[in-house]
Amino acid sequence: MSTTRESPAPLSACDEPLATAYDVALLDLDGVVYVGPDPVPEAPENLRKAAKEGMRIGYITNNASRPASVVAEHLASFGLDVIGEDVVTSAQAAAKLISQDFPKGSPVLVIGGEGLYVALEEYGLEAVRSSDANPVAVVQGFHPDVNWVMLADGAHAINEGARWYATNLDLTIPTAGGKAPGNGTLVQAVRAAVEVDPTVAGKPEPPLLETSIERLKAERPLMIGDRLDSDIAGAHAVGIASLWVATGVNDAYDLAAAPKNQRPTYVGAGLSALAEKHPGVTVEGSKHTCKGWTAEVVDQAVVVKGEGEPFDGLRAILSATWAAVDAAPKPVAKTAAKGASLARRPLPKPGPAPGSIKIDEALHRVGLSG
C-alpha cells in the first residue's frame, strides 16, 4: 500500500470533537494508553467515550515483544472493549514485509520474543533460533530477554547474506521507572558488526501505519502519540492527521524545537482531547492568537499575554516559535570595505535555530511550566 495523502497543517482547527471528525484512532500504546503494566490515568475512560461517539479504536505499537492477542488482553484488563484484531504491532508489519520478499516457509532468524514468532507464523514464515538454520532473513524486535548471544548470532547471519529487518529504531521506551533502552539501541549494537542497514517496519517508517490503516479499514485515520520522532513523524510520512499528547516521552520544549515533519496537527494534555474541539491559530504580523492568548517572539524569547485554557496558550506559543524558526533569512545591508570601490554582498542573517527560542516564562504564564 502506498499513499498520496498530505498531512493537515500543524495546529489545524477542528470545529467538532476529534472523536466524530475521524473514523479510526491509531493509538500508540507506551506513554499514551499505558506505562508499564498500568494505564495512563483516565485513558481508558476517555477511549470508552470516544468509542461511544462512533470512533473505532485501534492500538498501534512499535513494541514487538508481545503478540497482538496478548496486548489485547492487557488492554481489556483496563475495562476496554478490545480484541486481537484491534491491535497492530510492528512485528506484524515486519513479518508482512518479509512475506512480500520471500516465499512461504522461508526460514527467518528471530532476535526478539514471542511477538515476532507469532507474527512470522501468521504470515507463513518459519521462525528459527540459530544462524545454523541458514535463514534468508533476520528480524529484530525489542524483548527484555534479548542478549549478546542473540545479537552476535544475528550479526553472523547478516554477514553471511541474510536480509535484515528491524521492527523499529526507538532508542528508548517508557517504563514505570523512567526511560529505558529500546530496540533502536540494540539495533545499533548489531549495526556495529555488519555493513548494511536494516529495513525498518515501525514508525516513523510507513509500513506499520499503512498496515494499520488497511487492517482497520480507516478512511479518516488519526494517529495519536507521545513521541514526535516516531508517532508524529510517522503520521507525516503517510499523510494523515496526528494528535500529540503530553503523557509520555516528549514535552512542550521538544515540541517547540520540532522540525517540520514532527509537528502535530493537534495537541492535547491527554486522550481527553478526543472529546474536544481544537481551535486554530490566527496570525497578524508577529502576533499569534489562539482563543484568549496571544504570543510573539521578542529578543529570542516568546512573550505571551491573555488568559484562557493552558493548551490554547501552548498553541499560540508553538505557532509563534515555529514561525520565527521557519522565517526566511533576513537580508543584511551592504557595507563598503575601506578603500574598496564596490560593496561586498553580505550573507543573509539566518533565523534562530530550533530550540534556541526561550519559552520557559511563556509556559509558566499559561500554566504549563515544569
Side-chain angles (χ1 to χ4, degrees):
M1 175 182 175
S2 60
T3 179
T4 57
R5 304 181 190 91
E6 183 175 350
S7 298
L11 304 178
S12 291
C14 187
D15 59 5
E16 62 179 300
L18 297 180
T20 59
Y22 296 91
D23 67 334
V24 177
L26 305 177
L27 282 149
D28 177 57
L29 293 177
D30 291 313
V32 176
V33 182
Y34 55 61
V35 176
D38 302 317
V40 170
E42 301 182 3
E45 177 185 354
N46 287 316
L47 291 176
R48 287 192 290 269
K49 289 179 180 178
K52 286 182 180 179
E53 293 295 328
M55 181 177 241
R56 182 174 182 183
I57 309 299
Y59 301 92
I60 316 302
T61 179
N62 266 4
N63 192 326
S65 62
R66 299 183 296 173
S69 60
V70 175
V71 176
E73 291 174 3
H74 182 186
L75 294 168
S77 72
F78 303 154
L80 294 167
D81 184 12
V82 54
I83 57 176
E85 286 75 14
D86 297 325
V87 179
V88 186
T89 73
S90 61
Q92 292 171 314
K96 180 180 178 181
L97 285 176
I98 299 170
S99 72
Q100 293 170 342
D101 293 335
F102 297 99
K104 287 188 176 182
S106 296
V108 179
L109 176 61
V110 173
I111 305 176
E114 184 186 6
L116 282 170
Y117 286 95
V118 172
L120 291 171
E121 181 181 3
E122 179 183 351
Y123 281 92
L125 298 161
E126 181 188 358
V128 299
R129 298 175 182 270
S130 171
S131 60
D132 293 338
N134 298 317
V136 298
V138 173
V139 62
Q140 182 172 1
F142 175 80
H143 193 277
D145 293 338
V146 169
N147 58 36
W148 182 90
V149 172
M150 297 171 70
L151 298 175
D153 200 34
H156 297 331
I158 295 165
N159 284 328
E160 288 298 318
R163 196 174 302 177
W164 186 21
Y165 299 81
T167 59
N168 68 288
L169 299 180
D170 294 349
L171 292 175
T172 63
I173 57 172
T175 71
K179 292 182 184 179
N183 192 56
T185 314
L186 302 176
V187 167
Q188 288 183 348
V190 174
R191 181 63 181 84
V194 302
E195 299 298 326
V196 297
D197 293 320
T199 297
V200 181
K203 300 166 291 181
E205 300 302 320
L208 175 56
L209 284 178
E210 290 180 344
T211 300
S212 303
I213 291 168
E214 179 182 329
R215 282 179 172 243
L216 298 168
K217 299 178 174 60
E219 295 182 0
R220 301 182 312 282
L222 175 67
M223 180 65 219
I224 305 169
D226 64 309
R227 295 184 67 116
L228 302 176
D229 61 355
S230 60
D231 302 322
I232 307 307
H236 277 279
V238 297
I240 63 174
S242 60
L243 166 66
W244 171 82
V245 293
T247 53
V249 170
N250 289 129
D251 58 20
Y253 295 94
D254 299 321
L255 274 173
K260 290 182 180 180
N261 74 328
Q262 295 181 21
R263 297 173 185 174
T265 315
Y266 310 107
V267 296
L271 293 178
S272 59
L274 290 173
E276 300 169 355
K277 299 177 182 179
H278 288 249
V281 179
T282 58
V283 181
E284 294 184 5
S286 64
K287 296 183 177 181
H288 298 248
T289 300
C290 184
K291 304 286 277 191
W293 297 102
T294 296
E296 63 180 321
V297 175
V298 179
D299 295 331
Q300 291 289 91
V302 176
V303 176
V304 64
K305 299 178 181 179
E307 60 183 13
E309 294 296 324
F311 272 77
D312 293 339
L314 177 60
R315 293 181 182 97
I317 292 168
L318 292 174
S319 181
T321 303
W322 292 341
V325 170
D326 296 345
K330 296 180 180 180
V332 178
K334 295 180 180 179
T335 57
K338 186 175 182 180
S341 58
L342 294 175
R344 278 189 183 177
R345 179 175 296 173
L347 294 174
K349 181 180 179 181
S356 66
I357 296 176
K358 297 178 181 178
I359 63 171
D360 303 70
E361 292 186 11
L363 289 177
H364 179 76
R365 177 71 180 79
V366 303
L368 292 175
S369 58

